[in-house]
Every structure is written in structure tokens, then in C-alpha cells.
Amino acid sequence: MRKEVQTQIGDIREDLWYQLTEQVIGLHGEARLLEALEVWCREEMHYPRYGFDLHKEALELYSHRIFDSEG
């Protein structure tokens, strides 16, 4: 089963979306931010998430950029 992520520029395969998000993080020098999001996910989620699922969750939070909001 193929999964896709809906974006403003159209649907993108999920695996490609994760790769592109990681490239954006690298281009902006925000690897430490991604690591901090992974720590936050591990500590604040109400259920344990380990390995790649934790990484995916952090990538999704990164893409929403909610940490940039003053609220």
C-alpha cells in the first residue's frame, strides 16, 4: 500500500516527504532542533515511541513549525 502526504504542491509519497524534510533540516542547519523535538516527543507523549516512529513524529512537528509561534 502506497502512502502519500498532501501538500500545497500536491501529493508526495510519504517516504520521499520524510527524505525531503530531512534535507530541508540539513540545509537550514537545524539538526539540533530535530534532536530536541525527538527528546520532547519521547518525554511528553503519553505513550512510548521509539526508533523511527519517534523520528517521523519529530519530522512532522518540525514541518508544522509550531515552535515558531509566539502562542
Side-chain angles (χ1 to χ4, degrees), residues 4 14 23 28-29 31 36 39 45 53 60 69 71:
E4 295 181 334
E14 186 179 61
Q23 286 181 3
H28 291 276
V39 169
M45 294 291 188
D53 286 345
E60 290 173 19
S69 172

Side-chain angles (χ1 to χ4, degrees), residues 3-27:
K3 294 182 181 181
E4 295 181 334
V5 176
Q6 188 176 18
T7 71
Q8 292 178 347
I9 61 170
D11 293 348
I12 300 174
R13 273 190 355 252
E14 186 179 61
D15 61 331
L16 180 58
W17 183 88
Y18 287 120
Q19 290 174 0
L20 293 171
T21 304
E22 288 177 338
Q23 286 181 3
V24 168
I25 290 167
L27 288 172

Side-chain angles (χ1 to χ4, degrees), residues 30-49:
E30 295 183 318
R32 294 189 102 176
L33 174 57
L34 179 61
E35 291 172 12
L37 287 169
E38 289 177 351
V39 169
W40 184 86
C41 288
R42 188 178 305 110
E43 293 175 355
E44 299 298 325
M45 294 291 188
H46 294 290
Y47 53 96
R49 301 190 105 192

